[in-house]
Amino acid sequence: MGNKLCDLKDVRFVLYDLLNVEELCKSERFSDHSRETFEMTINTAEKLAVNDFAPANEPGDVIGCKWENGTVRVPSVYHEPYRKLVEGGWFCAQEKYEVGGQNVPHVVDYVCKILFFAANHNLAGYYGLTHSAAKVIEVFGSEDQKRKYMLPLYEGRFGGTMCLTEAQAGSDVGAVRSKAVKNQDGTYSIIGSKIFITGGETDLNENIIHVVLARIEGDPEGTKGLSCFIVPKIRVNDDGTLGENNDVVCPGIEHKMGMRGSSTSVLAFGDNENCRGELLGGERKGIVTMFNMMNEQRLLVGMQGIAQGSTAYLHALDFARERKQGVAAGKKEVAQDPIVVHADVRANLLWMKCYTEGIRALVLYAVFCMDRIHTAADENEKQKWNDIIEVLTPVCKAYGSDKGFEVCIKAVQVLGGYGYCSEYHVEQFARDCKITSIYEGTNGIQSLDLVNRKISMKNGRAYRTVLSQIKESIVEALEWNELIPYASDLKSYLGMLEEITEKVLNMKTAGVVELVESWASLYLEIWGDILLGWLFLWEARVARERLEESKTEHKPNGEAPDYFNEAFFTGKIITAKYYLGTLLPPVTGKLETIRKSDHAFLDMQESFFFD
Ligand SMILES: Cc1cc2nc3c(=O)[nH]c(=O)nc-3n(C[C@H](O)[C@H](O)[C@H](O)COP(=O)(O)OP(=O)(O)OC[C@H]3O[C@@H](n4cnc5c(N)ncnc54)[C@H](O)[C@@H]3O)c2cc1C
């Protein structure tokens, strides 16, 4: 067994066999790269994750963050791995050389992120947000703003945050009350209070750059009136040196179920009327600007969910091989066997393996589409990849985080009483993982995004683009006898998904919005189930092809080719079949539920809950 964070054999199969990421290196953007540089990047990340991030995970949870007189100390064990993260240039590895990056494809960078987040979700969270803050400034900022803020963020010298939430404005972002008043010098005075801000105050960086949603005085209510501002904790002079404090104060931090090493801060802006912000992305363009950050974060959060699931699964697997209880079915001796011999335990492990590998492949596919935008031949192709990302983002975020959490809970179950206690860490993975279904827009909000926006985008063209990718894989799989029954079933589920999607679109136009929204989460789950079916069918076909190729392709010395690993490819086909034949079929019940559209929900008045 390799590291206990992420099965890199499976990841390499997705990268090189399924997605063929080496093709990217033919494009100008990635021409300096090759499989060797990808491998070097992943191996370096693995070392940092295993040797530095993971050992700080449990102590960080126990020590937690400490607030004192407006400053926050993160667990001291985080400082050294964070320093190495900065030194290694990990904050912008996937960015262009011009901004200090290394032009690493997103999909390879994401593998590194999976390792970091699996090793230490709390610590990695600080760097994830810092990248997003830098990116939004790169996309919308002036040259001055890029120099003063983006570059130090990409270097990891400054930390970055994303400040939307206020006490009365959680999911309802339009209710933000933070105010901005224009000054004569073109800056804005910011007054307001934010809550739940990740990394809002820490001792990790010399400065923190807050990206803040606020309303310019006199602008309309709701999301349309919001603007985005760069608000540094310490002002940055034109020559890049640090100036005076910018009247951003942290009056406290939250005490939480998990993520105890992550500073979840309350922030007060301008209590002394001396907090200055710079407009980012134009007046009343705050939501469009912030969405740049949010979309990146949503994919990242889906990945976070399954990164925790991945490490929980590997811990459970390790435990199941060591822990002895009972004897294998049909065995005469009394000597105890490891619990992995019991069918129920193995079924749990296989369930965890399926969702971990399936969702990881889904997230990597979505991120690969981002790389394909850079290599696209023309505008049409760019649009295609962009449409796919739009549809997949809420599914990756919600399905990835929900299932990731379920995988962690299953791990607790496989470990029994030991799982419930802290010694084996899986209870921490579950506690830390739960946040992924809540922040970055709750999963309920993600499902509304899918039914209300994404499937109707471009008159349904975006979602049909995704379906056509799935249809192509079905046709390819039908060429293999062994896969025909699975491909045929997937085809029929896909037909039903198309049917209910058209129904949902028609119902929305007919105005039955409440009923549609009552199923939105179920509808998103169906998408997740079927997308995993697609990826497993694709994986099974590729694994089968590899096995067949190995019969005819040999090295000059007669040995099997380097890529050949019979046990892995065979295991992959069996895992895929298990998902397609055992875990996926209940999707018909979910599809049928929406097809039937029972109206009981509409008859259930609110008062009936309370009478
Ligand atoms: C540890 C942690 C870190 C965080 N980090 C950040 C951060 O860095 N920056 C930041 O800005 N925020 C951050 N948040 C805030 C987070 O994004 C919000 O908690 C989240 O958006 C939900 O808002 P809320 O908690 O106010 O819940 P509410 O909006 O009150 O929602 C409560 C429930 O009602 C549902 N609901 C609400 N409105 C609707 C609707 N219109 N339709 C259907 N269902 C609805 C929700 O799905 C949810 O189940 C963080 C939160 C936590 C706990």
Side-chain angles (χ1 to χ4, degrees):
M1 187 161 168
N3 68 63
K4 279 205 274 178
L5 305 175
C6 169
D7 178 355
L8 288 176
K9 263 199 312 303
D10 184 64
V11 164
R12 290 186 170 110
F13 172 72
V14 173
L15 290 183
Y16 304 124
D17 295 285
L18 204 72
L19 302 178
N20 193 11
V21 298
E22 284 164 274
E23 277 289 305
L24 292 173
C25 307
K26 291 185 181 155
S27 74
E28 203 188 322
R29 163 91 188 207
F30 303 113
S31 57
D32 288 348
H33 283 282
S34 61
R35 184 159 174 160
E36 283 68 39
T37 64
F38 296 164
E39 283 299 302
M40 236 158 51
T41 309
I42 294 168
N43 291 336
T44 312
E46 184 187 17
K47 274 201 197 97
L48 184 55
V50 170
N51 298 336
D52 297 274
F53 271 54
N57 195 34
E58 195 248 354
D61 180 57
V62 174
I63 302 166
C65 288
K66 302 276 185 283
W67 179 89
E68 212 177 286
N69 293 328
T71 61
V72 176
R73 274 181 288 123
V74 303
S76 50
V77 285
Y78 286 0
H79 283 273
E80 187 56 14
Y82 194 81
R83 189 186 61 73
K84 290 187 179 171
L85 199 69
V86 174
E87 268 180 19
W90 290 103
F91 286 76
C92 63
Q94 74 276 41
E95 300 303 334
K96 294 176 291 191
Y97 297 127
E98 297 92 283
V99 298
Q102 297 156 37
N103 252 355
V104 172
H106 285 89
V107 67
V108 174
D109 180 61
Y110 247 67
V111 173
C112 305
K113 286 197 163 84
I114 292 172
L115 286 159
F116 295 142
F117 275 92
N120 195 325
H121 184 176
N122 294 257
L123 175 56
Y126 293 118
Y127 112 99
L129 271 162
T130 296
H131 175 270
S132 299
K135 188 75 198 172
V136 75
I137 298 173
E138 184 189 336
V139 175
F140 295 100
S142 65
E143 289 310 311
D144 243 21
Q145 289 171 336
K146 289 182 198 176
R147 188 176 44 78
K148 277 165 67 180
Y149 307 114
M150 177 198 76
L151 288 176
L153 282 164
Y154 272 152
E155 285 167 18
R157 264 198 304 126
F158 292 179
T161 74
M162 175 179 174
C163 300
L164 287 85
T165 308
E166 298 179 5
Q168 77 297 339
S171 306
D172 188 4
V173 180
V176 158
R177 285 196 202 129
S178 289
K179 200 169 72 173
V181 182
K182 194 163 187 174
N183 300 317
Q184 282 187 340
D185 64 359
T187 64
Y188 290 77
S189 294
I190 308 290
I191 303 140
S193 177
K194 298 282 176 183
I195 61 166
F196 294 163
I197 304 306
T198 301
E201 171 58 29
T202 76
D203 57 353
L204 281 170
N205 305 94
E206 61 191 70
N207 197 4
I208 300 176
I209 306 304
H210 305 289
V211 180
V212 179
L213 265 191
R215 198 179 308 278
I216 298 173
E217 222 179 15
D219 275 351
E221 296 288 295
T223 48
K224 289 201 174 87
L226 291 172
S227 304
C228 206
F229 299 89
I230 300 173
V231 184
K233 170 180 158 182
I234 305 170
R235 289 183 193 159
V236 181
N237 300 318
D238 282 343
D239 64 359
T241 55
L242 296 187
E244 57 181 309
N245 280 342
N246 193 28
D247 192 14
V248 181
V249 176
C250 171
I253 54 173
E254 303 296 339
H255 302 279
K256 313 183 293 283
M257 166 182 176
M259 297 295 284
R260 292 178 181 159
S262 174
S263 161
T264 307
S265 316
V266 179
L267 289 179
F269 296 93
D271 274 3
N272 299 307
E273 299 180 7
N274 193 23
C275 175
R276 276 197 233 144
E278 294 179 30
L279 186 66
L280 178 68
E283 293 185 353
R284 293 173 297 286
K285 296 275 191 297
I287 284 296
V288 177
T289 311
M290 218 26 137
F291 252 102
N292 180 276
M293 249 183 130
M294 275 151 66
N295 278 336
E296 170 170 324
Q297 282 292 315
R298 284 177 178 180
L299 271 181
L300 194 73
V301 170
M303 177 279 287
Q304 289 170 12
I306 211 57
Q308 288 298 286
S310 158
T311 189
Y313 161 61
L314 294 174
H315 277 74
L317 196 58
D318 201 40
F319 183 89
R321 264 203 311 221
E322 299 294 325
R323 170 74 175 159
K324 290 188 173 164
Q325 284 293 285
V327 290
K331 208 174 105 178
K332 294 276 185 320
E333 306 96 87
V334 287
Q336 289 178 314
D337 280 316
I339 58 171
V340 71
V341 302
H342 304 305
D344 181 60
V345 173
R346 273 209 315 287
N348 276 331
L349 291 169
L350 195 46
W351 186 98
M352 294 160 83
K353 180 174 164 64
C354 283
Y355 286 105
T356 301
E357 293 180 1
I359 294 167
R360 191 166 54 215
L362 176 63
V363 172
L364 290 176
Y365 173 80
V367 178
F368 182 58
C369 293
M370 285 160 63
D371 291 320
R372 299 297 295 267
I373 291 176
H374 291 302
T375 63
D378 54 33
E379 203 45 44
N380 274 346
E381 195 193 334
K382 267 190 193 156
Q383 276 310 317
K384 173 182 136 180
W385 299 120
N386 207 49
D387 288 351
I388 296 176
I389 296 169
E390 288 277 3
V391 176
L392 295 189
T393 296
V395 185
C396 286
K397 193 294 181 176
Y399 195 77
S401 56
D402 276 343
K403 288 291 181 211
F405 179 66
E406 281 182 52
V407 173
C408 293
I409 293 295
K410 274 256 199 264
V412 172
Q413 196 66 25
V414 167
L415 270 75
Y418 295 101
Y420 196 69
C421 301
S422 58
E423 187 186 347
Y424 286 87
H425 310 308
V426 290
E427 60 83 35
Q428 186 194 343
F429 301 148
R431 284 188 288 109
D432 286 351
C433 189
K434 185 57 202 154
I435 189 57
T436 57
S437 61
I438 296 168
Y439 62 15
E440 266 332 303
T442 63
N443 285 359
I445 297 298
Q446 301 304 315
S447 62
L448 296 182
D449 181 39
L450 183 67
V451 288
N452 288 338
R453 234 167 58 78
K454 296 299 169 64
I455 59 169
S456 47
M457 255 178 75
K458 303 185 173 172
N459 286 327
R461 212 180 69 217
Y463 99 82
R464 284 192 204 98
T465 304
V466 178
L467 297 195
S468 63
Q469 300 290 108
I470 303 179
K471 286 175 188 167
E472 274 175 33
S473 296
I474 291 175
V475 171
E476 285 165 341
L478 282 169
E479 288 175 19
W480 295 92
N481 278 342
E482 159 189 32
L483 299 179
I484 289 175
Y486 302 103
S488 307
D489 283 350
L490 186 63
K491 193 174 170 191
S492 100
Y493 306 143
L494 199 66
M496 281 171 87
L497 175 60
E498 252 180 311
E499 187 190 320
I500 63 159
T501 300
E502 289 307 314
K503 180 186 171 97
V504 169
L505 290 170
N506 290 334
M507 285 178 79
K508 273 171 41 197
T509 34
V512 196
V513 172
E514 274 225 295
L515 192 58
V516 171
E517 292 192 350
S518 76
W519 313 314
S521 293
L522 182 67
Y523 178 75
L524 183 144
E525 196 179 320
I526 292 170
W527 266 91
D529 291 347
I530 289 180
L531 285 165
L532 258 55
W534 164 45
L535 286 156
F536 276 121
L537 191 67
W538 182 2
E539 292 195 344
R541 184 203 26 103
V542 172
R544 171 52 61 207
E545 281 173 8
R546 291 289 175 274
L547 284 172
E548 294 304 314
E549 281 160 20
S550 72
K551 290 180 189 160
T552 50
E553 286 179 20
H554 295 286
K555 285 184 183 174
N557 63 5
E559 283 176 8
D562 288 335
Y563 64 76
F564 186 62
N565 180 341
E566 186 171 6
F568 174 82
F569 291 130
T570 309
K572 187 85 239 179
I573 295 172
I574 294 169
T575 305
K577 285 182 178 174
Y578 185 75
Y579 180 81
L580 288 157
T582 303
L583 300 184
L584 182 58
V587 77
T588 49
K590 299 176 195 176
L591 287 155
E592 200 53 39
T593 303
I594 296 186
R595 184 145 76 179
K596 278 200 175 132
S597 337
D598 186 79
H599 278 215
F601 174 80
L602 293 178
D603 300 333
M604 182 71 186
Q605 296 168 21
E606 277 158 41
S607 62
F608 296 164
F609 282 108
F610 306 107
D611 290 339

